[in-house]
Amino acid sequence: MTITTSAQTGDAAAASETVSVTIDGIETTVDKGTLIIRAAELLGIAIPRFCDHPLLDPVAACRMCLIEIDGQAKPQPACAVTCGDGMVVRTQLTSQVADQAQEGVMELLLINHPLDCPICDKGGECPLQNQAMTAGRSTTRFDGRKRTFPKPIALSTQVLLDRERCVSCARCTRFSEEIAGDPFIELLDRGSQQQVGIAESQTFQSYYSGNTIQICPVGALTSSLYRFRARPFDLVSTPTSCEHCASGCSLRTDTRSDKVQRRMAATSPEVNEEWNCDKGRFAFAYLTAPDRLATPMVGRGDDQESVSWSQAMSAAADGLRAAGTASAVLTGGRLSYEDAYAYAKFARTVLGTNDVDFRAHASSTEEAQFLGSHVAGAPLGPTYADLEAAPVVLLVAFEPEDESPIVALRLRKAARRGTEVVTIAPVTTRGSAKLSARVLATVPGGEASALDELAGDGPAADDVVATRAAVRRPGSVILVGERAAALPGTLSAVVRLASAAGARIGWVPRRAGDRGAVDAGLLPTLLPGGRPVEQAQARVDTAAVWGVESVPAEPGRDLPAILEAATSGQVKALVVAGLDPDDLPDPQAARAAFAAVEFLVALDTRSHWVTEHAHVVLPVAAAPEKAGSFLNWEGRVRPFEAAVRSTLLRSDAWVLTALAAQLGSSLGVGSLAQTRRELAEFEPWAGPRLEPPEVAAAEVPSPGAGFAVLASWRQLLDDGVLQQEEPYLAGTARPPVVMLSAATAAELAVAEGDPVTVASERGSVTHALTVGDLPDRVVLIPANSHGRVTSELGVSPGAIVTVSSGGGA
């Protein structure tokens, strides 16, 4: 029997050559460099293994996959030997030698392995259990004492180690070293005493540590959150997508009695492969938080009281009816694509306004033009595959590991294969160091000038000249983060450089719902599919799909303008939804606006200061409680199903449809099927788009003594409403720091570890000093460190702040 096929290889260059190999009497043709274990998989032959993983380099540590190869004196590991032309292989199915070798390895592995399957978290889904039955002896010959260790050892607050269960497969250490670039754990000692260990002075502080739990083939690594919570056969598994960031990871959510017990990374080769970050894996405790909203409320502040849905809808309708078109809609990045579309339609057809904005982050008119010209309604791309194939990826106002962790993993994979990563940033961060990135050291606010220098051809520093040449190579990609909106001229300069170099642009926001909100029309200048509000034909097309006579023609206000208008009384009613208060660039200004507006309706999942200011609070389902989809940063649809069934809570679209009916309108998006049918009616927009932004580069800030330019970004692990109530995850958040250059520290007469205060006209924060390789008179503080840079200082990156020694300004 002969089969022609191909298999995954570790060498793309070898893929054009093939070899013929016979496995268990079946002849097959595979790519040169294909491992025997992969060729066997393609034939449906399962060879036992523990250390092997298709995304990790071969190591042949466990020896469980021993097979017989004609001409070889002894059994060979199928996971580490590549197929040779004419090779004849016999697995345990046809070779007594291979069968006995595997049986012997299993016997050795079980000598010290404890018989605690009934209490082990891996029990019921354990490869060791399964293979002990299929490739092991039915009885044991070992009558000695098994080794024991104190247990469990906390590698971090969320990863626990039971050392006696470890089979030394090295999957966890290889993942940490190869994939995540966080080599905090290692195999220590040798022989029977070999065990996973960690440096005494460090914890397993990695954003990707949960993956080691999932790929551990035994119960050696377990989750603090899931430990002893459930058995696999008690769980109902639902395919879902992550609701946290714009990476778009496929997940599997496991529930018991309609309560989430754990999340696992699902296989999605085009996006997250088989990995996810710890926030996506562990941050789901908010679903059962004490402040979870379950019933509608009417009133404000201490006067809020629970009411029936009919009373709440009537009160909301009365307030919105009184405000008329002097209403606005503010949403955040937590909405599904379908719910975002419902808000865009509700604003235009029910409230009659284009005052709508999803951008809870620092925004600008320049950003709106950029999103309208290069993001909204654009076809898929650049993609993760494009990142891996790109000769160079340029990062602008974007810190991948904190702002889109799977992008960071794919960039690391690309960098290990030869892709050059260049970042325009003030310092080499931990994340950029793992990418071996070339850093074009830039003072915050000087990004536009740095980009224009790359687009030009005049005399420049060597690293700039090298980057100029690299970014002009075919296939190059520029990834720009949402922070660019707060840096005047940066997005315009990105467009100019992309045009000059022929590079593709990818916009990577922080929240899962941001890209879908752009395409859904949750911008004051855009209708669904990237249709400009100012274009008459765009309005006609949209009105036809919506079944209305017309849609408002005047572009609306953005979030800052809406807040200002609400404070002054020009906007009389606000509908606020999907908003994480911690995202707002100036929470104090938002609080003032929400307190001043005549009428506020909040649709949310949890109680916080936004809902406390609301006159009507309408509870809605969180992502795991409903079906829908997100668009990830690529523009790829990431569907999800309801993992938790709730009879009390409905989607935002359902609630808006009911509210529209109360106001005498038919929104027509009450069900997911209705919404998707309507979205499908929008043909790709072929008319004029918004003009690309053209904002000149701002002057690079140059502060005097005692002042510094603020550099900042939001770290992945924060205190947002979707991460609260998860103490194990919070325990691995990176500590707050104030970073200065050595020269700036000397100017202030402070040393490593001394308290340094950073202050603005609004307030101040104080943290211990870390000395780093920053430009002089630049101060770095993560935006969502303890102390809340955004709420306490009220400024964005690029602002001039004061710096001083000690605990006061």
Side-chain angles (χ1 to χ4, degrees):
M1 179 177 182
T2 302
I3 295 177
T4 301
T5 184
S6 62
Q8 175 184 347
T9 79
D11 184 1
S16 59
E17 301 179 49
T18 60
V19 295
S20 178
V21 60
T22 301
I23 304 177
D24 289 341
I26 305 173
E27 184 179 350
T28 182
T29 300
V30 297
D31 294 334
K32 185 178 181 180
T34 299
L35 297 171
I36 292 174
I37 201 166
R38 300 284 171 265
E41 288 170 350
L42 292 169
L43 298 176
I45 299 172
I47 300 175
R49 86 291 300 270
F50 294 113
C51 69
D52 174 69
H53 191 285
L55 299 179
L56 300 177
D57 293 340
V59 70
C62 71
R63 317 302 286 184
M64 193 63 219
C65 64
L66 293 175
I67 43 85
E68 184 180 8
I69 303 175
D70 281 6
Q72 296 289 331
K74 58 184 180 181
Q76 300 294 315
C79 73
V81 179
T82 58
C83 296
D85 197 32
M87 182 181 285
V88 176
V89 176
R90 295 181 179 85
T91 73
Q92 75 280 0
L93 301 179
T94 60
S95 168
Q96 185 176 8
V97 171
D99 187 50
Q100 289 180 345
Q102 292 175 9
E103 188 177 284
V105 171
M106 179 61 72
E107 186 174 22
L108 289 172
L109 292 177
L110 292 178
I111 281 177
N112 279 312
H113 196 84
L115 297 178
D116 60 352
C117 300
I119 64 165
C120 177
D121 283 342
K122 203 74 170 183
E125 57 183 10
C126 176
L128 182 63
Q129 279 184 327
N130 298 337
Q131 291 171 185
M133 298 297 293
T134 61
R137 296 171 58 93
S138 58
T139 58
T140 180
R141 295 180 290 176
F142 180 71
D143 58 4
R145 185 191 260 322
K146 291 178 180 283
R147 70 176 182 181
T148 59
F149 296 102
K151 58 181 289 185
I153 299 297
L155 299 183
S156 69
T157 54
Q158 60 202 22
V159 180
L160 304 178
L161 170 65
D162 291 79
R163 289 174 289 174
E164 69 275 17
R165 294 176 183 164
C166 180
V167 294
S168 298
C169 70
R171 275 190 174 190
C172 58
T173 59
R174 287 151 59 213
F175 169 83
S176 299
E177 176 75 30
E178 297 171 19
I179 307 298
D182 294 321
F184 293 114
I185 56 176
E186 189 54 86
L187 286 173
L188 308 177
D189 297 328
R190 301 186 69 181
S192 64
Q193 293 303 307
Q194 191 174 63
Q195 57 184 288
V196 173
I198 192 166
E200 292 183 4
S201 61
Q202 291 181 306
T203 60
F204 190 15
Q205 195 181 55
S206 169
Y207 285 160
Y208 310 99
S209 64
N211 292 287
T212 64
I213 299 171
Q214 184 167 337
I215 65 175
C216 178
V218 292
L221 295 174
T222 58
S223 162
S224 301
L225 180 63
Y226 178 69
R227 191 174 174 90
F228 304 140
R229 291 283 297 273
R231 309 298 289 173
F233 39 78
D234 293 330
L235 300 174
V236 176
S237 297
T238 306
T240 54
S241 291
C242 185
E243 73 272 35
H244 291 291
C245 83
S247 294
C249 294
S250 290
L251 303 178
R252 190 189 88 202
T253 298
D254 290 346
T255 60
R256 180 184 182 187
S257 301
D258 264 338
K259 183 177 180 181
V260 178
Q261 300 296 325
R262 67 176 180 181
R263 274 179 168 167
M264 311 282 275
T267 300
S268 179
E270 71 280 3
V271 178
N272 57 304
E273 298 184 310
E274 297 184 23
W275 319 121
N276 75 328
C277 76
D278 286 355
K279 189 170 185 176
R281 184 179 296 269
F282 297 120
F284 55 79
Y286 69 91
L287 293 167
T288 53
D291 60 0
R292 190 69 206 278
L293 296 172
T295 59
M297 292 187 293
V298 170
R300 205 173 204 190
D302 295 337
D303 296 329
Q304 283 183 342
E305 59 179 1
S306 297
V307 297
S308 67
W309 272 100
S310 60
Q311 290 174 297
M313 286 293 187
S314 179
D318 289 345
L320 293 175
R321 189 180 294 112
T325 57
S327 303
V329 175
L330 295 178
T331 68
R334 302 200 328 251
L335 298 177
S336 70
Y337 180 35
E338 293 82 6
D339 285 341
Y341 173 76
Y343 281 101
K345 185 178 181 182
F346 182 84
R348 273 72 180 227
T349 65
V350 179
L351 301 181
T353 180
N354 280 318
D355 287 351
V356 53
D357 202 350
F358 77 93
R359 295 171 297 167
H361 59 267
S363 58
S364 63
T365 301
E366 181 185 9
E367 182 192 38
Q369 288 179 284
F370 171 79
L371 295 177
S373 61
H374 283 79
V375 177
L380 183 68
T383 65
Y384 283 106
D386 293 330
L387 298 185
E388 288 193 27
V392 64
V393 177
L394 177 65
L395 309 179
V396 181
F398 178 45
E399 183 61 28
E401 190 168 65
D402 279 305
E403 297 175 299
S404 190
I406 299 303
V407 171
L409 287 191
R410 296 297 280 268
L411 285 175
R412 176 169 166 79
K413 180 180 178 183
R416 294 181 75 216
R417 293 180 173 182
T419 295
E420 183 179 5
V421 180
V422 182
T423 179
I424 296 177
V427 67
T428 301
T429 64
R430 174 172 159 179
S432 56
K434 292 197 295 185
L435 303 177
S436 301
R438 180 197 301 161
V439 178
L440 300 182
T442 307
V443 174
E447 288 83 357
S449 295
L451 288 162
D452 282 341
E453 192 173 25
L454 291 177
D457 56 7
D462 290 346
D463 56 352
V464 173
V465 172
T467 304
R468 278 179 185 168
V471 80
R472 284 165 170 75
R473 295 168 61 188
S476 296
V477 175
I478 302 173
L479 293 183
V480 58
E482 69 178 26
R483 286 184 284 120
L487 302 166
T490 299
L491 290 168
S492 300
V494 165
V495 173
R496 289 193 292 270
L497 174 58
S499 176
R504 301 180 70 185
I505 301 174
W507 179 66
V508 190
R510 286 181 56 248
R511 295 297 185 187
D514 284 346
R515 175 62 192 266
V518 174
D519 275 23
L522 273 180
L523 279 167
T525 54
L526 291 180
L527 297 169
R531 291 165 169 78
V533 165
E534 292 180 316
Q535 290 288 327
Q537 190 59 51
R539 298 195 301 273
V540 170
D541 291 350
T542 304
V545 173
W546 286 347
V548 296
E549 291 186 5
S550 62
V551 296
E554 189 71 21
R557 302 178 177 93
D558 60 10
L559 184 142
I562 289 172
L563 294 180
E564 184 178 338
T567 303
S568 65
Q570 296 178 58
V571 167
K572 300 183 181 302
L574 285 176
V575 177
V576 181
L579 183 69
D580 195 318
D582 191 47
D583 286 351
L584 290 163
D586 191 347
Q588 289 189 30
R591 281 177 183 265
F594 293 164
V597 73
E598 292 182 16
F599 190 70
L600 175 62
V601 180
L603 289 80
D604 217 312
T605 59
R606 296 182 64 180
S607 177
H608 44 71
W609 63 260
V610 174
T611 61
E612 290 169 1
H613 280 86
H615 298 84
V616 178
V617 178
L618 302 174
V620 291
E625 298 165 333
K626 62 187 176 185
S629 63
F630 294 113
L631 299 188
N632 73 350
W633 70 273
E634 305 167 283
R636 191 188 303 271
V637 178
R638 310 303 289 154
F640 56 89
E641 299 297 326
V644 177
R645 313 295 174 190
S646 175
T647 58
L648 299 175
L649 300 172
R650 304 282 186 169
S651 69
D652 295 65
W654 187 94
V655 174
L656 288 177
T657 298
L659 181 56
Q662 192 81 21
L663 287 163
S665 299
S666 176
L667 198 61
V669 291
S671 72
L672 187 63
Q674 284 179 304
T675 307
R676 288 177 172 172
R677 279 197 300 269
E678 193 165 292
L679 279 167
E681 291 183 37
F682 281 97
E683 297 290 334
W685 173 243
R689 291 183 171 272
L690 290 182
E691 290 294 321
E694 190 55 55
V695 176
E699 185 176 346
V700 180
S702 181
F707 294 87
V709 183
L710 178 66
S712 186
W713 63 83
R714 292 178 180 271
Q715 294 181 315
L716 178 69
L717 302 184
D718 54 23
D719 198 30
V721 297
L722 297 189
Q723 190 185 316
Q724 292 170 359
E725 311 299 327
E726 216 308 291
Y728 303 113
L729 183 59
T732 61
R734 294 171 183 172
V737 297
V738 169
M739 183 182 288
L740 296 171
S741 70
T744 307
E747 189 175 77
L748 297 176
V750 291
E752 184 93 16
D754 289 349
V756 171
T757 295
V758 179
S760 68
E761 294 181 356
R762 177 74 59 79
S764 65
V765 293
T766 302
H767 295 307
L769 172 66
T770 295
V771 176
D773 191 21
L774 283 165
D776 293 338
R777 294 182 182 170
V778 170
V779 58
L780 170 65
I781 321 176
N784 49 352
S785 289
H786 305 291
R788 303 279 183 217
V789 169
T790 50
S791 59
E792 296 298 327
L793 300 184
V795 293
S796 298
I800 304 295
V801 294
T802 62
V803 288
S804 58
S805 62

